[in-house]
Amino acid sequence: MADAPRPPVAVAARPAPDADRPSPGAPSGRLLARAAALTAALTALGALLGLFRDQLLARTFGAGTGTDAFLVAWTVPEFAATLLIEDGMALVLVPAFAAALARRGAAPPAAGPDPVHALVRATLPKAALGTAAAAGLLVLAAPLVVPLLAPGLPDRQLAVDCTRLTATCLFSFALAGYCSAALRAHGRYLAPAAIYVAYNTGIITAVVVLDPADQGVRAAAAGVAAGGALMVLVQAPVLWRQLRTPPGPPASPAPSAPQTPPVAPAAAPAAPPGAPAPLAPTSAGVRPVLAALAPVIVFAVSRQSQVLVERFLAAPLPAGAISHLNYAQKVAQLPMVLSLMLCTVSFPVVARALAAGDTGTARRRAERDLLLAGVIVLVGAATVVAAAPQIVGLLFQRGAFDGADTAATAGVMRVYALGLLGQTLVGALVRCYFSTSRPLWYPAAAMLGGIALTAAAGSAFAGPWGARGIAAANALGITLTAALLLLGLRHQSVPLDARRLAGGLARLTAAAAVATAAGRWCAAGPPPLAVPLAFAAVATVFTATACALRAPVVPSLVRSAHPFRRLAKARS
């Protein structure tokens, strides 16, 4: 995200004019750096609150029958978050808003209705009404849904009660996801980055304020519903002000760019090469969005089905298996969340660059962010594998969460960490596939192949290895999906070099394997000391090994982080 010079990259065939020049209206590197730093801070705060939330749940409810029932009900908001916030809504609406903003910038004054406002009028009411109806239906159908999610669950009625409370997230998450996508497309990152701070604050407050001794895990379910409402409240006023702000004048071309003749008021602006069709300023403008909706929904539902498969297979296992899987997954995926922060910030940039026909900017941004995300997640995964028992003990072992729960969760967490690179690659690569408004079924097919492998392997592994076998199946399935997405890159609108990316990621993975061994050797002593020692060893050995292997990104990060280099740059 820094403003450092980039190495020259070969230009793809049939480039757009001025392909290497940032598109008009695109955020500057300095703005993106600030947005990344802001998003990082709020993401870290949300992650810390999420850890505190899980610590509170573990201390209050432990890892038993009641927690398993709540986690089955929590499947609903987890599923809804993937579909309505993280993947589905964002992957559809960010490119749609990017195209509408590009049309607004290219259109002459008084050329008709504002494309952005037309898109909001055509999509927001339908999304709100549809998800509100789905939430009401789920409240009524909860007694039928719970046995499908977790057959053999001991306390089914408790899970039904919690599901009825969490069902409201279908509506609140839809509004939150819509606001997030619209604001990020407009270059507004503060409110979207704060949604998980608000969400976790709602859960924590409910568990503390309500009486867990009387309400049990229903207090946590009520907190999930309250957190979903807070996610909307932190964004809706910002989006309202953004939409009420009159659009500025069209961006003037750069001084060195050739001047184009003025466009007649009745004529529509021509689309750049490779850009999606512009949105019409009427309800017909939503057609590209609706066309792209089906493959995005299939992809998002298939991806979140990993959780469904896990809890379905873990329900017949001894009490606490679902809880161990949940705590292990929440901690192990923290590096993935931090790594995907980069892609969250740059996805609107890629979408707007493609809308303007600027494939050079889209390619450079996507490739660098993908490799940076790989570095972050591999360092985190190596630390998790090296010091899993110490991490779990430090975070959770208190109250109702005992040493046996720590050992079981740590074992599952180490297996989960093997699939973290695949999880990050899927989250990053799918943004390249869905950066335009054209419907693409390949990511959905790849995800379906991965979930099929997860289900088949989980059924085979759950018997002999229990929760660890289910985690191994998860890692296998998501790794297959990531490999399929890498293989399909050559046919997509963002012309990434799949072979070069795969080679770079392989060298980074080799460095992470060496670092894991060093970190595990240093993870000795009490957890408060062992965890930072393991992380320091992993980071040091990973950096040295990656530089020795000539892995991408890491050497440039080392050079840019050198204190004398920073001082010389500041003086110059």
Side-chain angles (χ1 to χ4, degrees):
M1 293 299 177
D3 291 329
R6 297 183 178 90
V9 182
V11 179
R14 299 181 63 185
D18 301 320
D20 290 335
R21 181 182 294 124
S23 56
S28 67
R30 185 171 298 176
L31 177 61
L32 286 175
R34 288 200 300 268
L38 181 62
T39 303
L42 288 172
T43 299
L45 179 58
L48 289 175
L49 284 175
L51 274 178
F52 180 72
R53 173 205 68 200
D54 291 337
Q55 289 176 317
L56 183 63
L57 294 175
R59 185 183 65 185
T60 307
F61 307 113
T65 302
T67 309
D68 286 353
F70 165 69
L71 291 174
V72 169
W74 209 3
T75 304
V76 173
E78 286 180 325
F79 202 95
T82 298
L83 182 61
L84 301 174
I85 299 177
E86 297 164 11
D87 285 340
M89 193 76 76
L91 293 174
V92 170
L93 286 177
V94 169
F97 273 103
L101 287 167
R103 179 179 173 86
R104 170 195 279 179
D114 179 44
V116 176
H117 294 172
L119 179 62
V120 172
R121 288 193 297 269
T123 54
L124 181 56
K126 296 175 183 178
L129 289 175
T131 52
L137 181 61
L138 181 58
V139 169
L140 298 175
L144 302 177
V145 172
V146 167
L148 296 176
L149 293 176
L153 192 69
D155 198 339
R156 183 176 298 179
Q157 185 56 46
L158 180 58
V160 169
D161 294 342
C162 292
T163 300
R164 283 174 167 158
L165 289 168
T166 60
T168 58
C169 289
L170 291 177
F171 176 65
S172 60
F173 281 15
L175 296 182
Y178 192 99
C179 293
S180 294
L183 288 171
R184 284 176 178 142
H186 282 83
R188 300 292 183 264
Y189 297 98
L190 175 60
I195 59 174
Y196 286 107
V197 175
Y199 177 62
N200 289 321
T201 299
I203 299 175
I204 292 168
T205 303
V207 174
V208 172
V209 172
L210 299 178
D211 185 6
D214 180 45
Q215 300 293 327
V217 294
R218 294 179 184 86
V224 171
L230 290 176
M231 294 170 84
V232 181
L233 291 178
V234 299
Q235 296 185 101
V238 182
L239 180 59
W240 175 254
R241 289 195 300 269
Q242 182 67 42
L243 293 177
R244 290 192 65 184
T245 302
S252 60
S256 59
Q259 299 294 324
T260 56
V263 183
L279 294 177
T282 65
S283 61
V286 78
R287 288 175 185 171
V289 182
L290 296 178
L293 190 60
V296 171
I297 287 179
V298 172
F299 170 82
V301 169
S302 301
R303 187 177 185 187
Q304 190 56 30
S305 294
Q306 291 176 305
V307 177
L308 297 179
V309 170
E310 288 179 6
R311 292 177 182 171
F312 183 90
L313 295 173
L317 296 178
I322 295 178
S323 300
H324 297 148
L325 284 165
N326 171 75
Y327 291 126
Q329 186 183 64
K330 290 293 192 299
V331 177
Q333 287 189 350
L334 282 176
M336 180 198 73
V337 173
L338 294 176
S339 65
L340 287 179
M341 170 204 69
L342 298 169
C343 303
T344 299
V345 172
S346 64
F347 178 45
V349 180
V350 174
R352 294 191 71 170
L354 289 176
D358 188 358
T359 57
T361 297
R363 180 186 66 249
R364 290 193 303 270
R365 179 66 57 184
E367 287 184 350
R368 181 166 178 82
D369 287 353
L370 188 63
L371 292 170
L372 279 173
V375 169
I376 295 172
V377 76
L378 285 171
V379 170
T383 304
V384 165
V385 174
Q390 292 84 358
I391 293 173
V392 177
L394 181 64
L395 294 177
F396 299 124
Q397 191 171 328
R398 57 186 61 87
F401 198 95
D402 56 22
D405 293 323
T406 294
T409 302
V412 174
M413 196 164 75
R414 277 177 165 156
V415 180
Y416 261 134
L418 302 178
L420 285 182
L421 179 60
Q423 295 278 6
T424 297
L425 290 178
V426 170
L429 289 171
V430 75
R431 287 163 168 79
C432 297
Y433 283 89
F434 289 131
S435 290
T436 69
S437 58
R438 293 179 298 171
L440 297 173
W441 281 99
Y442 184 80
M447 194 68 241
L448 285 172
I451 200 65
L453 178 59
T454 298
S459 300
F461 297 165
W465 296 308
R468 295 187 189 189
I470 297 174
N474 181 300
L476 284 174
I478 200 66
T479 301
L480 173 64
T481 301
L484 292 174
L485 291 178
L486 267 176
L487 289 174
L489 278 177
R490 72 181 92 178
H491 304 297
Q492 305 313 316
S493 55
V494 184
L496 305 185
D497 189 337
R499 180 175 298 180
R500 187 165 66 89
L501 284 173
L505 290 169
R507 291 194 292 275
L508 292 172
T509 303
V514 177
T516 302
R520 191 160 186 177
W521 184 75
C522 293
L529 181 62
V531 174
L533 281 177
F535 174 74
V538 165
T540 302
V541 174
F542 177 85
T543 302
T545 308
C547 291
L549 294 175
R550 297 184 179 180
V553 176
V554 177
S556 63
L557 290 176
V558 172
R559 289 192 298 270
S560 63
H562 194 282
F564 296 108
R565 181 181 177 89
R566 288 206 309 266
L567 181 60
K569 185 177 180 181
R571 288 178 175 175
S572 63

